[in-house]
Amino acid sequence: MMKVPANDLQAVSVRLRALMVLCALSVVSLLYLPLPILGVLKQSYGVDATGMVSSFGFAYAAGFLVFGPLSDRLGRRSVLVGGLLALICATAVLSLANSPAVLIVGRVLQGLAASSFPPVAIAYLAERGSPRQRVWSVAWMSTAFLSAGLLGQIYGGLIAGPWGLGAAFWPLCAVFALTAWCLWKRPADERMGQGLTGFLSAYRSIGSLLADARLRRVYVPAFFLLMCFVAFYMSLDSKLGRQFAQLGVSPLMTRALVAPAFLTPLLVAVVMPRVGAQRTLGVGLVCAAAGLGGSAWAGETHLMALLGASFLFVAGLGISVPSLIARVAGVSDSSVRGLAVSLYTFVLFIGASLGPWLAQQTTDMTLASTYLLLAALLVGCAVYALVSE
């Protein structure tokens, strides 16, 4: 096979990078999009949060362990294009679902197909361009992945709420199709081209990764971060939805007010090279825990203060996630770095998938007690992450 010149591999236009960031936002938004309309879906199909969120999330997380290593064998572009085409098909089927079984199966297939994009897209952009372009590409991708947690919910409430899931899915399919087409026009990165020979042998390294105490101090906080995020907003809606409605504050507004906090990965890209990934991670986890503690203090009586504290919580998440990625890359051996990052994303979204379960377990608790529990989890993560190696 003909080897692709290095110059071609480096030449990724600003337009394509921007399109891939938009596609990343669209892909990850699929996880969170149904959250604002869970009540409607429950009444219409009898499908609860576990069926709509966890079914997608578990398949999504599991796929990271497949598609990241697969792209090392078959090439990034091939996996990205194939995955996006599969995602379009799964989303089209899901938009036509008219029964609980089809809805849940469709979400599983959608989650699995969606998992082909995030880890492979990060690797694709991180391998192309100048060092500065690579750093900022990863920073913008991290921003897209994180902000999808809020923007996906806002989009779902605005579009899926009045017009149904199908109306929300089709514009996203257009983004997926445009991205796949633009990537298909790019030269294939045949330099990898190892095929599937020895593919399964790569997974033998998972045990050694989990045995590394430095990596465990990344994986444990990653597990709880998005779990706390999903549980935070589900608890907010269920326990304070009526009070906010009386003030004219909709669930969409509670999310929109803190959306700028998800720009913090761009700040991290500037600060982290100076202070290091571990210190930045510590700041992020403490910030997120403080935001949860402030939300618990505000409780049901100081609603505006609660929204202010939620901004601090979300900003802490925005600081923590890129710090965790940098920490994984910094402590893992180069021979297993791709698998180490894939395992990190797997753990991160397994936690997100368990967020609805955690929210359901705290249904009988007061809002303050729920948020204190979440804060305690992140304080424990901060202590564990920063303990001496």
Side-chain angles (χ1 to χ4, degrees):
M1 291 183 183
M2 189 177 232
K3 199 171 185 180
V4 176
N7 290 338
D8 287 339
L9 286 173
Q10 301 297 326
V12 178
S13 67
V14 173
R15 186 175 300 176
L16 178 57
R17 290 175 187 271
L19 179 59
M20 291 183 69
V21 170
L22 176 61
C23 189
L25 175 62
S26 302
V27 167
V28 183
S29 290
L30 292 171
L31 172 63
Y32 303 99
L33 189 152
L35 287 178
I37 59 169
L38 286 176
V40 175
L41 294 171
K42 177 76 171 176
Q43 290 180 347
S44 301
Y45 300 101
V47 178
D48 58 10
T50 300
M52 286 305 297
V53 179
S54 298
S55 60
F56 179 102
F58 283 124
Y60 184 61
F64 288 141
L65 295 180
V66 176
F67 292 110
L70 190 64
S71 71
D72 290 334
R73 302 278 170 170
L74 301 181
R76 313 290 187 212
R77 192 202 68 158
S78 298
V79 173
L80 286 170
V81 173
L84 287 171
L85 293 178
L87 181 57
I88 292 169
C89 295
T91 304
V93 170
L94 185 59
S95 67
L96 302 174
N98 55 8
S99 70
V102 175
L103 203 62
I104 293 174
V105 171
R107 283 292 280 176
V108 170
L109 295 176
Q110 189 185 49
L112 186 61
S115 67
S116 66
F117 190 82
V120 184
I122 285 181
Y124 185 85
L125 293 178
E127 293 166 349
R128 291 159 172 80
S130 67
R132 184 175 183 274
Q133 287 175 323
R134 297 178 187 187
V135 168
W136 282 102
S137 291
V138 173
W140 276 108
M141 292 292 278
S142 298
T143 300
F145 295 149
L146 289 169
S147 59
L150 291 177
L151 297 181
Q153 294 184 59
I154 294 171
Y155 176 75
L158 289 174
I159 307 300
W163 295 295
L165 280 175
F169 283 151
W170 289 116
L172 301 184
C173 283
V175 175
F176 304 151
L178 179 60
T179 306
W181 181 67
C182 290
L183 286 169
W184 181 252
K185 294 194 303 178
R186 295 276 304 158
D189 41 359
E190 302 293 351
R191 62 192 178 88
M192 299 178 183
Q194 302 172 42
L196 296 177
T197 305
F199 175 66
L200 294 179
S201 64
Y203 293 95
R204 295 173 185 169
S205 302
I206 288 181
S208 64
L209 293 176
L210 294 176
D212 190 329
R214 299 170 302 171
L215 286 172
R216 288 202 304 271
R217 293 188 180 99
V218 174
Y219 295 147
V220 170
F223 178 77
F224 287 103
L225 270 182
L226 293 189
M227 179 191 293
C228 290
F229 172 73
V230 173
F232 178 90
Y233 277 102
M234 290 189 67
S235 299
L236 186 72
D237 291 342
S238 64
K239 300 177 189 295
L240 289 183
R242 291 183 180 177
Q243 291 184 339
F244 275 119
Q246 291 173 354
L247 296 175
V249 178
S250 68
L252 298 182
M253 292 175 64
T254 62
R255 290 148 172 82
L257 288 172
V258 301
F262 271 139
L263 295 176
T264 48
L266 303 179
L267 176 63
V268 171
V270 176
V271 174
M272 190 164 54
R274 303 176 185 176
V275 302
Q278 189 171 22
R279 289 183 180 178
T280 308
L281 172 59
V283 170
L285 290 172
V286 170
C287 181
L292 287 169
S295 298
W297 169 82
E300 302 175 3
T301 56
H302 305 285
L303 298 185
M304 295 301 106
L306 189 153
L307 291 179
S310 72
F311 187 96
L312 184 62
F313 166 58
V314 172
L317 295 183
I319 296 170
S320 300
V321 168
S323 305
L324 288 168
I325 295 174
R327 188 69 179 147
V328 171
V331 303
S332 59
D333 186 81
S334 59
S335 62
V336 292
R337 188 165 296 149
L339 184 59
V341 174
S342 294
L343 186 58
Y344 156 76
T345 51
F346 167 78
V347 170
L348 186 72
F349 284 97
I350 284 290
S353 303
L354 290 173
W357 171 85
L358 180 58
Q360 290 170 355
Q361 301 309 304
T362 60
T363 300
D364 297 330
M365 298 172 60
T366 65
L367 185 77
S369 298
T370 299
Y371 287 169
L372 283 176
L373 172 62
L374 301 183
L377 288 174
L378 292 191
V379 168
C381 288
V383 172
Y384 183 66
L386 297 177
V387 71
S388 299
E389 297 172 0

